[in-house]
Amino acid sequence: MSHAITLKQLRYLVAVADTLHFGKAADAANISQPSLSAQIQQLEEALGTQLVERTKRRVMLTAIGSEVAERARRILAEVRDLTDSAQGVSPPLAGDLRLGVIPTVGPYLLPRVLPSLRRTYPELRLYLREDQTERLVERLKSGDLDTLLLAMPVSEPSFESEPLFDENFVVAVPAGHRLAARNQVSESDLRDEQVLLLEEGHCFRDQALAVCGHRRARDRDSFAATSLDTLREMVASRIGVTLLPALSVTGVSLPGGAVEIRPFAPPSPSRRVALVWRREAARGREFRVLAEFLRDNLPVGAEAVR
């Protein structure tokens, strides 16, 4: 007689898929490692196929194991939405909310809006996850996160989005640089400059390349940065110039006066930041309330989209 598949087993498989390590998966699932191994084995018996390859050195999912893990993510997300829907009579923005945010938005927006959000919605327990767009999107699809703050566009038909604000790009140059003598900078001014960029995977890197032109701006890949703060320090060290989103320099002290910020001549290149969630999520009404709150409490440097 075959075992019935349980949601618990699916959660454990997803934990193994995320970590590729039984010990780490057991810690994440708050279960002992032998118990987790036993549950995975029962799931394999129920499905009649091997899901996980176990060796002394590493853990890998089989091809069918990867497929089952992806379906498990969708099932767990559906169950979470079902639970949220059943509890939908509770007041908006109360309880746990897992918010994902990209690194070029989070540090510059959230500290300026979260204090008032907590005062307005004291029953809200907000858990933040900062990561690159691609990984956040996967976590939203799997139900690990409830909603995301992302730069648009995000081409995922299963998502719904609410635009929040438009944010202009600015140019950061070393003090005394030829462009520092100008009131405004044009995109063509960057043609022969060493334009410093974030490392691969950051959506802001792609947006900056779109502004500069892939061929016109000389991209110093060997100096690709992991954060906007690092980019500013590199500019201060006179390695090159860079593009920054306006919020990252509004009200921020720049390295020892060694960096000058100049706006683009109109029309300024910009990006649109939106709140994104699964189209089937039961808490869609709450997310729209959150979007409206964020639009009403934006800091200087962000222009609300109504």
Side-chain angles (χ1 to χ4, degrees):
M1 178 178 170
S2 63
H3 296 287
I5 296 171
T6 68
L7 292 176
K8 197 175 288 187
Q9 290 167 349
L10 297 182
R11 288 193 191 96
Y12 296 158
L13 178 63
V14 167
V16 171
D18 285 343
T19 60
L20 296 180
H21 191 285
F22 272 91
K24 292 177 181 177
D27 289 342
N30 200 24
I31 187 178
S32 70
Q33 186 171 333
S35 297
L36 181 135
S37 296
Q39 290 287 334
I40 296 295
Q41 195 167 350
Q42 286 181 20
L43 178 60
E44 289 177 322
E45 291 171 3
L47 294 173
T49 187
Q50 184 179 356
L51 304 175
V52 181
E53 294 179 10
R54 307 161 180 84
T55 68
K56 288 184 178 180
R57 291 190 173 183
R58 60 180 179 171
V59 172
M60 293 177 60
L61 265 64
T62 63
I64 188 67
S66 295
E67 184 181 328
V68 172
E70 283 309 304
R71 295 187 69 173
R73 292 181 198 277
R74 295 197 293 271
I75 291 168
L76 293 171
E78 289 284 346
V79 170
R80 201 171 286 116
D81 288 342
L82 176 64
T83 304
D84 290 342
S85 179
Q87 297 170 350
V89 293
S90 59
L93 295 181
D96 295 347
L97 181 65
R98 294 157 303 168
L99 172 66
V101 59
I102 54 175
T104 59
V105 169
Y108 313 105
L109 174 68
L110 296 182
R112 303 173 188 182
V113 298
L114 289 190
S116 55
L117 179 66
R118 291 193 172 107
R119 284 194 301 271
T120 307
Y121 299 101
E123 294 180 42
L124 178 66
R125 292 186 300 274
L126 196 61
Y127 298 91
L128 299 174
R129 172 84 186 201
E130 189 176 287
D131 210 336
Q132 293 179 7
T133 299
E134 186 177 350
R135 290 194 287 265
L136 290 178
V137 164
E138 287 306 311
R139 286 181 175 275
L140 181 61
K141 282 161 61 172
S142 71
D144 288 343
L145 294 171
D146 298 312
T147 184
L148 308 177
L149 273 170
L150 296 180
M152 301 304 281
V154 176
S155 54
E156 178 52 61
S158 65
F159 289 174
E160 191 142 343
S161 65
E162 186 80 19
L164 300 178
F165 62 89
D166 290 327
E167 181 182 22
N168 286 340
F169 299 159
V170 297
V171 181
V173 302
H177 189 279
R178 67 179 183 88
L179 295 179
R182 304 192 182 181
N183 292 328
Q184 297 177 327
V185 175
S186 68
E187 295 175 25
S188 61
D189 289 331
L190 303 177
R191 182 177 298 137
D192 297 318
E193 295 294 331
Q194 302 285 10
V195 179
L196 307 170
L197 299 171
L198 292 174
E199 65 184 359
E200 293 280 357
H202 287 275
C203 61
F204 187 70
R205 172 193 171 90
D206 300 330
Q207 292 159 349
L209 279 170
V211 172
C212 302
H214 289 266
R215 293 180 181 175
R216 292 186 304 163
R218 287 181 289 164
D219 168 16
R220 293 287 291 267
D221 271 335
S222 57
F223 288 101
T226 57
S227 72
L228 296 182
D229 289 341
T230 304
L231 280 181
R232 281 200 296 266
E233 293 293 343
M234 289 160 66
V235 172
S237 299
R238 314 189 75 80
I239 296 171
V241 305
T242 195
L243 272 64
L244 296 171
L247 278 184
S248 71
V249 298
T250 306
V252 175
S253 59
L254 299 171
V259 175
E260 301 267 2
I261 301 298
R262 293 293 179 268
F264 277 97
S268 174
S270 64
R271 67 176 178 178
R272 176 161 291 186
V273 175
L275 194 68
V276 177
W277 61 90
R278 295 186 306 279
R279 192 174 294 279
E280 301 301 321
R283 300 175 74 181
R285 182 175 66 91
E286 277 190 88
F287 301 147
R288 293 192 190 279
V289 170
L290 176 59
E292 190 61 30
F293 179 90
L294 293 173
R295 278 194 294 264
D296 289 343
N297 292 272
L298 291 172
V300 175
E303 183 181 340
V305 178
R306 299 292 181 182

